[in-house]
Amino acid sequence: MVVLALTSFHFMLQLITILNRCHRFPGFVYQQARFSSDHKSIEIDVRPRKRSAAVCSRCHQPAPGYDQLPERRFEFIPFWGFLVFLLYSMRRVDCRRCEAVVVEEVPWGDGKRTLTRAYMLFLARWARRLSWKETAEAFRTSWDKVFDAVEHVVTFGLEHRVFGQIDAIGVDEIQYAKGHKYLTLVYQIDLDVTRLLWVGRERTIESFQVFFTVIGDELASKIAFVCSDMWEPYLKVIREKCSEALHILDRFHIVAKMNKALDEVRAGESRRMAHEGFAPVLKKSRWLLLKREENLKTEQRFRLRDLLRYNLKTVRAYILKEAFQQLWDYNSATWAGKFLDEWCRQVMRSRIEPMKKIARSMRQHRELILNYFRAQKLLSSGVVEGLNNKAKVTMRKSYGFRTFRCLELALYHSLGKLPEPESTHDFF
Ligand SMILES: [Zn+2]
């Protein structure tokens, strides 16, 4: 027993030596380490260094001591299957600058959070690779603590990020909460920097305007390109805030819109045929029609060819959609414009209402679409699409997220390329 206790004592001394190597703060000392009574965790006492003044958490200046609060536990990075806690009694200071009694700030903690900064950074890095739930399970902690960790890191990142010059932005909407709610996402899509700049509730004029308040008029006025879809509130804000920028309705958004119209035609016709007792030829045709033909498997390609023999609205809409793809092969805006006009003329004669609606919208936004060709050498196409897919993956990985706040944090965390809090050591 004595031997064991002694070994344990030496081990605990070594632990303090290691901590002093990787997690040392002037003004504080590690005093003693021991196993908790259930032997599941290691507890380390922390004390202020003698004659080292506490720092006021409000003004960040040293201040005379007032009293001491009961001991708090700060969770540190787990070690060989043991939870690790730093135990410390926070001092309160009588701060003359703040004219108040204020709790001190400690370099390893962040306000009322129960995890150490080092552990929060550690967890947050894992939460970028795994879902928050998986991260909590892997490190035997709770989902709420992972939330805290990500919130801490993202808050730091947003406070310390530098916008620099922004040449190009893309604005996009995304559905969440089972499709009932929308977020507005604004990306920077410069050639050398692509990142999420802003997440807003809803997809209204007011919500998008907040983004411009955040970056300020000076930066906004220097934006040269804006990509968006045909959502009227976005168009309006862009006209107002980026009047000098080249506004592009980009390929990704137009293709998405076209697919939606085709799907509407198919669903309507399929219902009508079932109702009138026709053979269900359109059944399970959704993906055949929405995928590009070159992406279909051989068997699917046969089925598509079979389907195309029918004289159906869906088939005609499909052919119009496929014909439209040619647009993207043009290099000159002039020729693309001629093609677009001809395509719209054909569609307007088609008597397929969802497609006609698209054609009308295209005529209305003709110049914005042709801007795609005017700008295509300067903007890497598909950037918005790539970011949008990443945003969707982030949302899918986060099935525990119900609230806007969670989604906002998760999206900034994985797509914002935010600066991370500095660390005393790289706890990889
Ligand atoms: Zn103060």
Side-chain angles (χ1 to χ4, degrees):
M1 258 342 259
V2 176
V3 175
L4 188 71
L6 206 62
T7 316
S8 172
F9 174 72
H10 280 294
F11 167 64
M12 290 301 180
L13 272 183
Q14 297 286 7
L15 205 60
I16 285 174
T17 310
I18 296 169
L19 267 173
N20 277 324
R21 265 302 155 75
C22 64
H23 197 248
R24 182 191 180 93
F25 300 102
F28 300 91
V29 286
Y30 295 111
Q31 207 167 43
Q32 205 192 39
R34 63 183 166 283
F35 278 113
S36 62
S37 49
D38 62 1
H39 284 246
K40 283 189 178 150
S41 45
I42 296 168
E43 297 171 340
I44 299 142
D45 295 322
V46 185
R47 296 272 180 271
R49 204 176 280 282
K50 267 185 199 130
R51 281 185 297 277
S52 141
V55 172
C56 168
S57 61
R58 222 178 272 172
C59 63
H60 313 290
Q61 301 296 323
Y66 179 77
D67 65 356
Q68 223 168 8
L69 298 173
E71 196 169 70
R72 258 180 70 180
R73 296 161 69 83
F74 293 88
E75 199 171 342
F76 191 64
I77 301 165
F79 174 77
W80 289 355
F82 297 105
L83 299 177
V84 179
F85 293 92
L86 306 183
L87 274 48
Y88 180 71
S89 301
M90 304 285 273
R91 292 169 286 179
R92 290 203 296 176
V93 294
D94 187 5
C95 182
R96 265 163 247 157
R97 256 174 240 97
C98 301
E99 291 179 341
V101 173
V102 183
V103 182
E104 71 172 317
E105 74 179 7
V106 289
W108 63 82
D110 175 27
K112 290 200 164 64
R113 298 189 201 276
T114 56
L115 308 186
T116 53
R117 288 169 182 267
Y119 191 27
M120 288 194 280
L121 183 57
F122 179 88
L123 280 180
R125 282 180 178 168
W126 279 104
R128 206 181 274 129
R129 293 160 174 253
L130 308 172
S131 76
W132 293 8
K133 189 165 170 275
E134 286 166 329
T135 307
E137 282 164 6
F139 297 97
R140 307 230 176 136
T141 184
S142 67
W143 190 91
D144 292 325
K145 284 181 182 171
V146 177
F147 172 93
D148 259 22
V150 175
E151 190 179 50
H152 163 76
V153 168
V154 169
T155 305
F156 176 94
L158 290 176
E159 276 167 10
H160 293 82
R161 74 173 162 175
V162 178
F163 283 122
Q165 190 178 319
I166 300 169
D167 293 330
I169 59 167
V171 54
D172 206 357
E173 69 210 26
I174 203 161
Q175 285 185 313
Y176 76 108
K178 290 192 179 146
H180 298 307
K181 290 180 179 170
Y182 283 94
L183 300 177
T184 296
L185 305 181
V186 182
Y187 303 108
Q188 179 173 7
I189 50 171
D190 291 11
L191 288 177
D192 51 344
V193 197
T194 59
R195 59 175 170 168
L196 175 67
L197 289 177
W198 191 73
V199 182
R201 284 174 206 267
E202 307 299 332
R203 45 172 186 166
T204 58
I205 290 176
E206 293 74 25
S207 64
F208 189 27
Q209 272 170 340
V210 177
F211 164 72
F212 290 100
T213 312
V214 169
I215 64 165
D217 288 342
E218 168 138 26
L219 271 185
S221 67
K222 287 182 185 148
I223 293 173
F225 302 100
V226 183
C227 280
S228 81
D229 67 2
M230 298 182 217
W231 183 240
E232 200 48 51
Y234 293 164
L235 301 182
K236 189 161 180 284
V237 176
I238 292 165
R239 273 198 301 274
E240 188 185 302
K241 298 285 182 182
C242 307
S243 52
E244 301 299 305
L246 190 61
H247 183 183
I248 301 155
L249 291 184
D250 76 322
R251 181 176 174 161
F252 159 61
H253 286 117
I254 294 169
V255 171
K257 205 141 210 167
M258 188 87 64
N259 279 335
K260 217 170 150 190
L262 175 61
D263 207 34
E264 205 180 303
V265 176
R266 183 200 55 80
E269 192 164 46
S270 179
R271 263 197 308 275
R272 187 179 54 79
M273 288 172 77
H275 186 70
E276 292 171 5
F278 287 100
V281 286
L282 282 173
K283 218 173 168 194
K284 294 192 180 159
S285 65
R286 185 157 191 253
W287 293 111
L288 295 183
L289 295 165
L290 293 184
K291 268 191 183 172
R292 301 297 321 277
E293 196 182 341
E294 61 262 28
N295 296 334
L296 294 175
K297 294 185 197 117
T298 318
E299 181 261 333
Q300 291 175 314
R301 219 170 280 179
F302 281 126
R303 280 188 52 208
L304 177 66
R305 249 172 252 169
D306 194 39
L307 181 64
L308 292 183
R309 292 198 320 244
Y310 289 91
N311 182 20
L312 292 170
K313 264 190 187 178
T314 309
V315 170
R316 279 180 280 135
Y318 173 80
I319 290 166
L320 287 170
K321 183 200 94 161
E322 283 299 295
F324 186 81
Q325 300 295 345
Q326 264 189 58
L327 176 74
W328 312 116
D329 298 335
Y330 286 98
N331 288 317
S332 107
T334 313
W335 287 101
K338 284 182 200 234
F339 174 87
L340 187 63
D341 295 341
E342 181 51 35
W343 186 86
C344 289
R345 245 194 309 280
Q346 278 188 36
V347 173
M348 291 313 284
R349 286 196 300 248
S350 74
R351 289 191 227 136
I352 305 170
E353 196 40 48
M355 297 301 280
K356 281 169 75 176
K357 201 172 143 206
I358 286 223
R360 275 195 291 270
S361 168
M362 294 227 186
R363 278 180 172 171
Q364 195 190 338
H365 301 114
R366 184 180 188 273
E367 288 313 301
L368 297 185
I369 294 168
L370 297 183
N371 279 346
Y372 173 83
F373 299 92
R374 297 182 183 116
Q376 73 173 346
K377 301 222 162 44
L378 296 155
L379 277 184
S380 46
S381 69
V383 179
V384 175
E385 186 176 12
L387 286 163
N388 187 282
N389 285 337
K390 273 193 200 161
K392 281 182 184 153
V393 169
T394 302
M395 289 175 55
R396 219 175 300 136
K397 261 202 331 199
S398 50
Y399 27 86
F401 302 171
R402 287 289 136 73
T403 64
F404 171 77
R405 180 64 178 153
C406 289
L407 268 181
E408 183 188 32
L409 288 174
L411 288 166
Y412 276 129
H413 191 45
S414 55
L415 299 171
K417 295 194 180 155
L418 299 174
E420 284 185 341
E422 310 92 70
S423 171
T424 50
H425 176 74
D426 188 18
F427 296 94
F428 59 85

